[in-house]
Amino acid sequence: MGEAAEYFSKDFDWEELRIRVENDPLLQYHLLPFQPCDSIPSVSAEADSDAWSRFHLRHSSGKFFKERRYLLKEFPELVSCKKNCKVLEVGCGNGSTALPILRGNENIVIYACDCSTETLERAKEIINDVGIASLKDRFCPFYCDFSTSKFPTWLACNSCRGNTSLQQPSFTTPEKEGSQATESEESECCIGGVDFLTLIFTLSAVPLQRMPASIRECYMALKPGGLLLFRDYGLYDMTMLRFGQDQRVGFKEYVRLDGTRSYFFCLNTLRDLFVTAGFVELELEYCCVKSLNRRNGKSMERVWVHGKFQKPVS
């Protein structure tokens, strides 16, 4: 547990990076207000899902698949939670997030959804190939595109979803980490919501205008006191700065050549999105990490956003 509590993410200062980027004339187009034009077609939710499905099919090899083991250090609550702890992983992809969580805590059951049935099948294959029966039994994948529809009622029925309030909680200091996920018996109507919900490089793939409803849906799926664990692309990440001007589809929003999209978050934008949905902010910061490109020997400056948000206890 001592090792899991240590997490380092400050190789460089984000404010210094911001100043460099905003003073570089070659990067000014990233800072300009976005002016939509007729040459940028509107993209349907089905097209978004198809693009990500093709992406995961292209990158389904073992070489591309890497377990996100760092998540257990970034979110030690996943290591210390008690028996029958329920986790909803939204946008599970090929299982790179689910597998290390299942390995790290035998008390956890993961309900994992994705907008691609092909991707879900690949995730099941990867979990099964580990050859540990207990992992397979605790991995429950299902199809759902949370950017366009509600989670299924067996996860949190309409009655349970209705027992929540958008009012801000009366307390100002959140409960001690790890103590808020309480056990509850499953009811006949549904599993009663989840203790944790993970959004790991998922929200950035959702068009900005659909984000508020998607986050609200996540709020509804959590038990009162439950935690939403967040990690995604941050403003001025190296990936953002590599996009060309013609790939902009919004302010801080871009589309790749394969049709997948990506939004790059600043802290204020995320704070507004989650607080408006009813969450209490526990942690929110930029993770600034330098990594080495082994092919060309160049240092890469990566910026991600780390966040923990709690659903108030009614």
Side-chain angles (χ1 to χ4, degrees), residues 102-168:
L102 290 169
R103 289 183 191 270
N105 191 335
E106 62 182 10
N107 294 320
I108 283 179
V109 175
I110 292 184
Y111 299 89
C113 69
D114 202 276
C115 64
S116 165
T117 54
E118 293 85 355
T119 301
L120 289 170
E121 288 301 318
R122 179 56 181 156
K124 287 195 291 185
E125 290 175 7
I126 289 176
I127 301 295
N128 292 343
D129 288 346
V130 175
I132 302 177
S134 63
L135 300 189
K136 177 182 176 181
D137 295 341
R138 293 184 288 116
F139 182 66
C140 309
F142 64 98
Y143 173 85
C144 180
D145 184 351
F146 85 128
S147 73
T148 59
S149 61
K150 294 182 177 182
F151 291 122
T153 54
W154 59 258
L155 195 67
C157 69
N158 292 332
S159 175
C160 292
R161 289 166 60 96
N163 290 330
T164 60
S165 172
L166 272 177
Q167 299 296 319
Q168 291 298 307

Side-chain angles (χ1 to χ4, degrees), residues 196-212:
F196 296 97
L197 188 148
T198 61
L199 278 178
I200 310 298
F201 295 103
T202 297
L203 192 62
S204 59
V206 176
L208 180 61
Q209 65 270 23
R210 296 210 298 263
M211 287 185 192

Side-chain angles (χ1 to χ4, degrees), residues 32-74:
L32 298 174
F34 180 73
Q35 299 294 336
C37 61
D38 295 337
S39 62
I40 300 178
S42 60
V43 180
S44 66
E46 291 76 14
D48 282 336
S49 297
D50 290 343
W52 282 108
S53 179
R54 292 193 299 270
F55 171 87
H56 285 293
L57 287 174
R58 285 195 307 273
H59 299 290
S60 60
S61 67
K63 182 179 179 180
F64 180 82
F65 178 84
K66 293 181 180 179
E67 290 185 45
R68 291 169 171 159
R69 296 188 180 94
Y70 61 84
L71 293 175
L72 299 179
K73 294 183 178 181
E74 188 174 4

Side-chain angles (χ1 to χ4, degrees), residues 39-307:
S39 62
I40 300 178
S42 60
V43 180
S44 66
E46 291 76 14
D48 282 336
S49 297
D50 290 343
W52 282 108
S53 179
R54 292 193 299 270
F55 171 87
H56 285 293
L57 287 174
R58 285 195 307 273
H59 299 290
S60 60
S61 67
K63 182 179 179 180
F64 180 82
F65 178 84
K66 293 181 180 179
E67 290 185 45
R68 291 169 171 159
R69 296 188 180 94
Y70 61 84
L71 293 175
L72 299 179
K73 294 183 178 181
E74 188 174 4
F75 304 116
E77 298 89 347
L78 293 172
V79 178
S80 60
C81 65
K82 298 179 180 180
K83 190 175 181 180
N84 298 322
C85 181
K86 302 181 183 70
V87 177
L88 172 58
E89 187 193 355
V90 181
C92 67
N94 56 13
S96 58
T97 296
L99 185 53
I101 295 175
L102 290 169
R103 289 183 191 270
N105 191 335
E106 62 182 10
N107 294 320
I108 283 179
V109 175
I110 292 184
Y111 299 89
C113 69
D114 202 276
C115 64
S116 165
T117 54
E118 293 85 355
T119 301
L120 289 170
E121 288 301 318
R122 179 56 181 156
K124 287 195 291 185
E125 290 175 7
I126 289 176
I127 301 295
N128 292 343
D129 288 346
V130 175
I132 302 177
S134 63
L135 300 189
K136 177 182 176 181
D137 295 341
R138 293 184 288 116
F139 182 66
C140 309
F142 64 98
Y143 173 85
C144 180
D145 184 351
F146 85 128
S147 73
T148 59
S149 61
K150 294 182 177 182
F151 291 122
T153 54
W154 59 258
L155 195 67
C157 69
N158 292 332
S159 175
C160 292
R161 289 166 60 96
N163 290 330
T164 60
S165 172
L166 272 177
Q167 299 296 319
Q168 291 298 307
S170 57
F171 57 86
T172 56
T173 303
E175 297 181 11
K176 183 177 179 181
E177 290 183 7
S179 66
Q180 66 276 3
T182 58
E183 290 188 34
S184 67
E185 296 295 328
E186 296 183 12
S187 64
E188 295 181 357
C189 57
C190 65
I191 69 169
V194 296
D195 303 287
F196 296 97
L197 188 148
T198 61
L199 278 178
I200 310 298
F201 295 103
T202 297
L203 192 62
S204 59
V206 176
L208 180 61
Q209 65 270 23
R210 296 210 298 263
M211 287 185 192
S214 299
I215 295 173
R216 177 60 179 163
E217 189 61 20
C218 293
Y219 180 94
M220 289 295 194
L222 277 167
K223 298 177 183 177
L227 284 184
L228 185 147
L229 309 176
F230 182 90
R231 185 179 177 91
D232 217 321
Y233 295 108
L235 191 61
Y236 303 144
D237 175 58
M238 175 196 73
T239 306
M240 171 183 171
L241 303 180
R242 286 183 172 180
F243 278 111
Q245 187 169 359
D246 60 345
Q247 292 177 281
R248 297 182 80 203
V249 291
F251 186 55
K252 299 181 291 187
E253 195 169 8
Y254 303 80
V255 64
R256 301 178 182 86
L257 296 179
D258 62 5
T260 59
R261 66 170 62 231
S262 188
Y263 186 90
F264 295 84
F265 294 97
C266 69
L267 301 187
N268 286 337
T269 296
L270 269 177
R271 180 175 292 114
D272 290 344
L273 284 167
F274 281 98
V275 171
T276 299
F279 283 100
V280 175
E281 175 190 327
L282 300 186
E283 297 177 14
L284 186 60
E285 63 179 359
Y286 290 115
C287 299
C288 301
V289 178
K290 284 187 177 180
S291 59
L292 182 67
N293 187 320
R294 296 181 179 178
R295 289 185 298 176
N296 56 28
K298 292 183 178 180
S299 177
M300 301 180 293
E301 293 180 320
R302 304 308 310 269
V303 179
W304 299 297
V305 175
H306 159 94

